[in-house]
Amino acid sequence: MQIFNTINSINLSRPVVTIGFFDGVHVGHQTILEKTIEKAKELNRDSLLITFWPHPRIVLNKDAENLKLLTSLEEKKKALAAIGLDGMLIMEFTPELATQPPNIFIQQILVDQLNISAIVLGYNHVFGRKGEGNYNLLKTLETEGGFTAHQIDPVSVGEINVSSTKIRIALEQGLLNIANAMLGRDYSITGTIEGGRQLGRAIGYPTANISPSEPLKQIPGDGVYAVWVDYNNNSYPAMLNIGHNPTVEDGLHKTIEAHIIGFKENIYDREISVRFIKKIREELKFPSLDALKEQLADDKITTLKILEKV
């Protein structure tokens, strides 16, 4: 997949495009992208996603302090490349772009500069000033613009229409089965291992303290999880705690700590990825370190049983 940071650098002839932030690249996004790729092959053209960075809410200061991302920009690139997209244009999102009338964006960007042959949109996607750009507007401009517009219906998992917002809620609630089903893969966090207070090591369960590489990354709700840790092209079973470690800490600092089962290497300052499989239990405060050790022994057994089935 080619990645373009400016429109002028694009070397695709009359591409089939889709537009959106595509946070999570979930199964709904995947359906849109697959249709875009399918249409491009039908027309013997290339497929192109037009996306934006940074997130519009940050630029427009719309509840930006509460913004959480399912995918970092690097994670998004990898997911898109895996689907088979030909190109990705990363446009800088600016206040000027936000106030641009959608018909101007369509004419100047999609028609004049990209000369698109077709565009594929999700059922609820809007763009341009006040969200005035949509599928219906594109349909009215098809003949004049020399392209065709196509709309994708909602994609459901069970009875739930998939959306990035619903995935974030499921993650906050620790409902990994729902979140992962909507994503079409295991939710993951990539981060660097930092030094901690070594309390886990002192009780026989050394942990890797993970600092997420993307500061805005959505963190699942507090609790203990069965996870896979991917490091150096290998996957290791692990149990991971998200929370404040109330048994041994002051409760002021939230951490993400993984005990990688059977792992002996020193990986401080190294980058790992964690794939969340299932929440085991809530975080608890134990009356003693011995009680905590007993629970961790049970957690280890539970984790291995869960991961054996994956």
Short mmCIF file of all heavy atoms in Angstrom, two decimals, residues 197 199 203 244-250 289 292:
data_model
loop_
_atom_site.label_atom_id
_atom_site.label_comp_id
_atom_site.label_asym_id
_atom_site.label_seq_id
_atom_site.Cartn_x
_atom_site.Cartn_y
_atom_site.Cartn_z
N ARG A 197 8.09 -0.61 40.50
CA ARG A 197 8.59 -0.76 41.86
C ARG A 197 9.02 -2.18 42.19
O ARG A 197 9.43 -2.48 43.31
CB ARG A 197 7.50 -0.31 42.86
CG ARG A 197 7.22 1.19 42.80
CD ARG A 197 6.07 1.57 43.70
NE ARG A 197 6.35 1.21 45.10
CZ ARG A 197 5.44 1.32 46.09
NH1 ARG A 197 4.23 1.78 45.81
NH2 ARG A 197 5.75 0.97 47.31
N LEU A 199 7.41 -4.79 42.74
CA LEU A 199 6.63 -5.50 43.75
C LEU A 199 6.15 -6.85 43.24
O LEU A 199 6.07 -7.82 44.01
CB LEU A 199 5.44 -4.64 44.20
CG LEU A 199 5.81 -3.35 44.94
CD1 LEU A 199 4.57 -2.50 45.17
CD2 LEU A 199 6.47 -3.68 46.27
N ILE A 203 6.93 -10.96 44.87
CA ILE A 203 5.98 -12.01 45.27
C ILE A 203 5.90 -13.14 44.24
O ILE A 203 5.00 -13.96 44.27
CB ILE A 203 4.57 -11.42 45.52
CG1 ILE A 203 4.00 -10.77 44.26
CG2 ILE A 203 4.60 -10.43 46.68
CD1 ILE A 203 2.55 -10.32 44.42
N HIS A 244 -5.23 0.30 39.71
CA HIS A 244 -4.43 1.07 40.67
C HIS A 244 -3.71 0.20 41.70
O HIS A 244 -3.15 0.73 42.66
CB HIS A 244 -5.33 2.08 41.37
CG HIS A 244 -5.95 3.08 40.45
ND1 HIS A 244 -7.10 2.81 39.72
CD2 HIS A 244 -5.58 4.34 40.11
CE1 HIS A 244 -7.41 3.87 39.00
NE2 HIS A 244 -6.51 4.80 39.20
N ASN A 245 -3.73 -1.11 41.51
CA ASN A 245 -3.03 -2.03 42.42
C ASN A 245 -3.31 -1.70 43.89
O ASN A 245 -2.39 -1.40 44.66
CB ASN A 245 -1.51 -1.98 42.17
CG ASN A 245 -1.14 -2.47 40.79
OD1 ASN A 245 -1.55 -3.54 40.38
ND2 ASN A 245 -0.38 -1.66 40.06
N PRO A 246 -4.56 -1.75 44.32
CA PRO A 246 -4.92 -1.26 45.67
C PRO A 246 -4.30 -2.05 46.82
O PRO A 246 -4.18 -1.53 47.92
CB PRO A 246 -6.45 -1.40 45.68
CG PRO A 246 -6.74 -2.47 44.65
CD PRO A 246 -5.72 -2.27 43.58
N THR A 247 -3.87 -3.29 46.57
CA THR A 247 -3.27 -4.07 47.65
C THR A 247 -1.88 -3.58 48.02
O THR A 247 -1.49 -3.60 49.19
CB THR A 247 -3.19 -5.57 47.25
OG1 THR A 247 -4.50 -6.02 46.87
CG2 THR A 247 -2.68 -6.41 48.41
N VAL A 248 -1.13 -3.09 47.03
CA VAL A 248 0.27 -2.73 47.28
C VAL A 248 0.61 -1.28 46.93
O VAL A 248 1.72 -0.83 47.20
CB VAL A 248 1.21 -3.67 46.49
CG1 VAL A 248 1.08 -5.09 47.00
CG2 VAL A 248 0.91 -3.62 45.00
N GLU A 249 -0.31 -0.55 46.32
CA GLU A 249 -0.03 0.82 45.91
C GLU A 249 -0.90 1.81 46.67
O GLU A 249 -1.83 1.43 47.39
CB GLU A 249 -0.27 0.98 44.40
CG GLU A 249 0.66 0.12 43.54
CD GLU A 249 2.04 0.72 43.38
OE1 GLU A 249 2.31 1.77 44.01
OE2 GLU A 249 2.84 0.13 42.64
N ASP A 250 -0.61 3.12 46.46
CA ASP A 250 -1.37 4.16 47.13
C ASP A 250 -2.68 4.49 46.43
O ASP A 250 -3.48 5.29 46.90
CB ASP A 250 -0.53 5.43 47.28
CG ASP A 250 0.00 5.95 45.94
OD1 ASP A 250 -0.52 5.53 44.88
OD2 ASP A 250 0.95 6.75 45.94
N LEU A 289 -0.51 -9.88 51.23
CA LEU A 289 0.22 -10.30 50.04
C LEU A 289 0.02 -11.78 49.77
O LEU A 289 -0.02 -12.21 48.62
CB LEU A 289 1.70 -9.97 50.18
CG LEU A 289 2.09 -8.48 50.08
CD1 LEU A 289 3.59 -8.31 50.23
CD2 LEU A 289 1.63 -7.90 48.75
N LEU A 292 -3.13 -12.18 47.94
CA LEU A 292 -2.93 -11.75 46.55
C LEU A 292 -2.22 -12.84 45.75
O LEU A 292 -2.62 -13.14 44.62
CB LEU A 292 -2.11 -10.46 46.53
CG LEU A 292 -1.64 -9.96 45.15
CD1 LEU A 292 -2.83 -9.71 44.23
CD2 LEU A 292 -0.79 -8.70 45.30
#
